[in-house]
Structures are given as structure tokens and as C-alpha cells.
Amino acid sequence: MKRVLMIAFHFPPLAGSSGVQRTLRFVQHLPSFGWQPLVLTAMPGAYERTSDDLLRDVPDGVIVRRALALDAARQLSVRGRYLGVLARPDRWMTWQYDARRVGAAMIRDFAPQAIWSTYPLPTAHLIATRLHARFRVPWVADFRDPMAQPGYPADPRTWAQFKDIEQHALATAAASVFTTPGAAAEYRRRYPPAAGRVQLIENGYDEESFGDSGAEAARLGPLRPGALTLLHSGIVYPSERDPTCLFDALGRCKRDGRIDAPRLRVRFRASVHDDLLRTLAARFNVADLVEIEPPIDYREALVEMQRADGLLLLQASNCNEQIPAKLYEYLRARRPVLVLSDSVGDTAQAAAAAGITRQARLDDSADIATLLSSFVADPARGAGWRATEAAIDSASRRGRARQLAVLLDSV
């Protein structure tokens, strides 16, 4: 069996990020397609929050080696302040030093036929760059989303490092992979000489993770019997998933009498930015409509999704070339989905292609209020609210792993 060295910061026991799922599910499924994964990741102390629930999904016998990484904000700061150089290109840039040593030992010990590194931590690509240059093993750079964008990162020096990393990767990697059609198209346009090496492998859901969660959800029943609960499961980014207009819409609907606390609640699970949500709830006088809940284990979260009356997906227009990985789990949950996004962006387009056409703009309070009212007034919530079975079937992580294996074979 061929071997691939997989360099990924986001790996169990890291908790609180859906980004961990991409690498974990590739590790699970790649052996079925002839590739043995060798994982190079960070020591658990680098993670802000950990949980053991996903560790059991790492297959027995998979080689996982961890390198020292320090979080500049938590472990290298004095009175909450730290040197900017320690956070470029990201707060865990220290990971690269020990990871080069550990990665070199893994290459000598196991002789992998390919290296794969994955964003959203740019440092992962820096590690792969050095190992590729030293050992000349073909490299696949998994970008997921665009890196250097207009206005992001805001710090000019960090932006310049992002740009240097992506330029080098597009020039030297055997393939560069993105998770959305828009991002792939943008990088083909941005780097014409590398256009033929830009590939698309979307995110997806893992059927094995869902397991018997559907039966458990059915046994437990709705989150609030006799009333409606809308659930947003995961991080609410203040800019990229700005919920301000959603709260404004809730306030409008409450004032108009279209919704009230006995009929509808909006639950935010593991938002990270709880204080922002509380501030908005107070500002728009909708605290009685909003529930802010702490993180739970991944499988509990999947059960909760399937018990909700509807699932909220937020994506701002500044992320039009990105699709939240959460969308694919929402599809598999087979619940109504309310998409709040830009109609021309990849998120809205992917949801519509899956059959979810009842959408509103995230930056349009009136549009969101209309969608919320329609949701409450439509007891069936069938076509237009839910994904088609064909779309669900096509979005499995196993299928995505097959695509990656084919790509690895080609390089």
C-alpha cells in the first residue's frame, strides 16, 4: 500500500472546529483506496479546547506523530500581549520548527510516496514546503479556502506572508486543492501557469459518524415539543457569519406578532462568540427568543441537529468563494435548512443545487424576516427547505476520499 504524509494541525483531540473532520475522514477512508495515511500534527497542549470523543474515530494502527506547538496568544503572551512576529503567519507558527524534525524522521522511517498539507493554518504549508524541498516527495497543498484576499488578513505583514505561501505552493506543489468551485476558479485565474494543477475536492459528511444518531433523535423527539426550534450549530464569526441582521429580523417579527417565545426559539450551540450574541439579543429585544448553549460532543451535536425543527446556515458575502463544512452535515441531517447568504456565492449555490431554495440574504433584515415568517407558517416544510436524497448521497466523505486517492495516484 502506498503511503501519504498528512500534515494537519486540526486533528483529534482538537475540539470546537468542524475543520478537523476533513483530515480525520480522509485518514479513515484512504486505506480503502490504496493509501496508508501517516499523520503529522500538533501536541494537544496547542489546542484551546480538547475532547476525546473523536479520538475513537482514528483507526487502529494509524501512525500519528505530534510536534511541539505553542499558541502565541495563550502560551507566549505577557499580560495578554505578545510579539506580532510570533503570530505570523498564524498564532501557532512555532509548530513548524519541531514539525520539520518529526516530519523528516517520518519520511526516513516510512518513505511516503506523497506529502499532503492542509490549511486553514498556513504553517502546515510552510512545513510541507521545507519537507518537499528537502526530500523531493510530491506535494499536494490542500487550501480548502482562499488564503490572501482583499482586506484579509488585515495586518499587512501577515497578508504578505499569506501571499508568499500561496504563491510558492501554486508554483511548486504537484496539485493545489480547493473545496468550492468559486475558490478553484479564482486560483486558476490568479495563477494561470498553475491552472491545470488546481483541483476541486469538496467537504462532505461522514455516514459512519451519523451511525444510529437518527434513531436516537427519533427516540428523544423534538427539542421543544409543541414549539419550533431553529438551531445554529458551530462558530458564529462576527464578520464572516455576521448575525446582526438575523437578530434585527427576529426583533421585527416579534414586534409584528409573527413570532414569539412560545412558538419559536433560536438556539446557538458552541458559537464561541457568546458575548456578541447576548449583546445583539439585548439590542434587538429578543433575549426571550434566543438560547446560547455550550459545546457538546460531536455525536451529541449530530443528534441535536436531527431533533431541531430547522437548521440555520450563515455565510456573508465576503466569503462567497467558501462553503461552511457544516452545510454537508446539515444535508445529511435531513432537516429543513434556512440559508442566510449571498445568492451569487458558492454557499447559496451549493444549497440551491441540493434542493434548498428557501433562502435570504444575510445582510437583509427584511428578507430574513420574510423567510422566518414563511418557516413558521409552513407546517410541512418540504420541498425548498430540505435537501434531495440525490444531493445527500453525493456528499459523503468516503466519496471525497476516493477523489483524493485518485489525485495522489496521479502525482
Side-chain angles (χ1 to χ4, degrees):
M1 186 177 290
K2 297 178 289 291
R3 300 185 183 95
V4 54
L5 176 62
M6 307 189 79
I7 304 170
F9 180 84
H10 294 77
F11 198 73
L14 180 147
S17 172
S18 60
V20 72
Q21 295 293 327
R22 186 169 176 89
T23 302
L24 176 59
R25 304 312 167 188
F26 281 152
V27 167
Q28 279 187 318
H29 297 299
L30 277 174
S32 298
F33 306 106
W35 284 88
Q36 176 187 351
L38 313 165
V39 180
L40 170 57
T41 188
M43 291 183 178
Y47 302 142
E48 293 182 79
R49 191 168 68 85
T50 61
S51 173
D52 291 342
D53 67 313
L54 289 178
L55 281 173
R56 58 189 166 187
D57 287 354
V58 179
D60 292 340
V62 170
I63 293 165
V64 179
R65 293 190 178 173
R66 300 181 182 274
L68 176 66
L70 299 173
D71 179 352
R74 291 186 300 115
Q75 296 160 315
L76 297 175
S77 63
V78 178
R79 296 178 182 176
R81 300 175 65 85
Y82 52 90
L83 295 174
V85 70
L86 298 177
R88 298 189 192 103
D90 54 68
R91 284 165 36 199
W92 296 269
M93 58 82 68
T94 53
W95 180 40
Q96 63 184 300
Y97 303 116
D98 194 39
R100 292 177 198 164
R101 177 189 65 81
V102 175
M106 294 177 77
I107 290 173
R108 286 192 294 266
D109 290 347
F110 304 107
Q113 283 75 37
I115 295 171
W116 177 90
S117 61
T118 187
Y119 188 65
L121 234 62
T123 293
H125 289 334
L126 289 179
I127 297 164
T129 294
R130 293 297 184 91
L131 293 176
H132 166 68
R134 180 176 175 183
F135 293 99
R136 310 312 302 171
V137 178
W139 169 32
V140 173
D142 187 53
F143 280 87
R144 307 194 191 193
D145 298 322
M147 281 188 59
Q149 304 170 63
Y152 177 83
D155 174 61
R157 284 171 290 187
T158 304
W159 189 93
Q161 286 195 356
F162 271 47
K163 190 67 175 179
D164 286 346
I165 292 168
E166 73 172 40
Q167 283 180 332
H168 183 79
L170 268 292
T172 60
S176 296
V177 178
F178 296 86
T179 59
T180 69
E186 167 61 20
Y187 274 72
R188 291 183 184 115
R189 182 199 63 77
R190 193 180 294 186
Y191 299 100
R197 292 181 278 112
V198 171
Q199 302 292 324
L200 173 66
I201 301 179
E202 294 183 51
N203 283 311
Y205 69 87
D206 186 63
E207 183 62 34
E208 289 78 5
S209 294
F210 275 83
D212 60 358
S213 61
E216 178 69 3
R219 183 185 68 81
L220 294 172
L223 293 174
R224 296 174 65 239
L228 298 174
T229 301
L230 282 174
L231 171 68
H232 183 278
S233 186
I235 301 174
V236 178
Y237 296 104
S239 173
E240 294 88 344
R241 298 173 189 170
D242 183 0
T244 303
C245 289
L246 168 60
F247 279 77
D248 187 10
L250 288 170
R252 293 183 184 211
C253 290
K254 180 181 175 180
R255 290 192 301 272
D256 295 346
R258 287 179 279 177
I259 61 174
D260 54 35
R263 281 186 286 175
L264 177 72
R265 295 284 181 87
V266 180
R267 177 180 295 184
F268 293 90
R269 173 68 70 185
S271 76
V272 175
H273 298 283
D274 292 358
D275 289 343
L276 169 65
L277 301 181
R278 293 190 182 95
T279 299
L280 291 173
R283 172 181 166 188
F284 293 104
N285 190 31
V286 294
D288 58 330
L289 301 178
V290 174
E291 301 174 356
I292 301 172
E293 301 293 343
I296 53 179
D297 283 351
Y298 180 62
R299 284 175 180 79
E300 292 180 77
L302 296 181
V303 171
E304 184 178 45
M305 287 180 205
Q306 294 170 90
R307 297 178 64 200
D309 298 286
L311 302 169
L312 277 169
L313 190 73
L314 315 181
Q315 189 80 328
S317 58
N318 59 7
C319 293
N320 271 355
E321 295 169 351
Q322 301 174 32
I323 299 174
K326 190 67 62 181
L327 171 62
Y328 303 96
E329 293 170 348
Y330 279 7
L331 300 184
R332 172 57 181 80
R334 293 186 169 90
R335 304 305 296 153
V337 181
L338 286 75
V339 176
L340 311 183
S341 190
D342 184 350
S343 61
V344 301
D346 281 351
T347 295
Q349 295 290 319
I356 302 168
T357 56
R358 305 296 295 266
Q359 304 185 10
R361 289 187 58 91
L362 181 60
D363 59 359
D364 189 327
S365 302
D367 200 16
I368 297 172
T370 299
L371 185 68
L372 290 171
S373 299
S374 298
F375 176 79
V376 172
D378 182 359
R381 302 182 193 93
W385 296 107
R386 301 171 188 257
T388 65
E389 286 301 313
I392 295 170
D393 290 343
S394 68
S396 74
R397 292 276 190 186
R398 181 176 174 82
R400 309 306 194 206
R402 180 187 295 110
Q403 288 179 267
L404 178 56
V406 170
L407 177 58
L408 292 172
D409 287 337
S410 74
V411 303

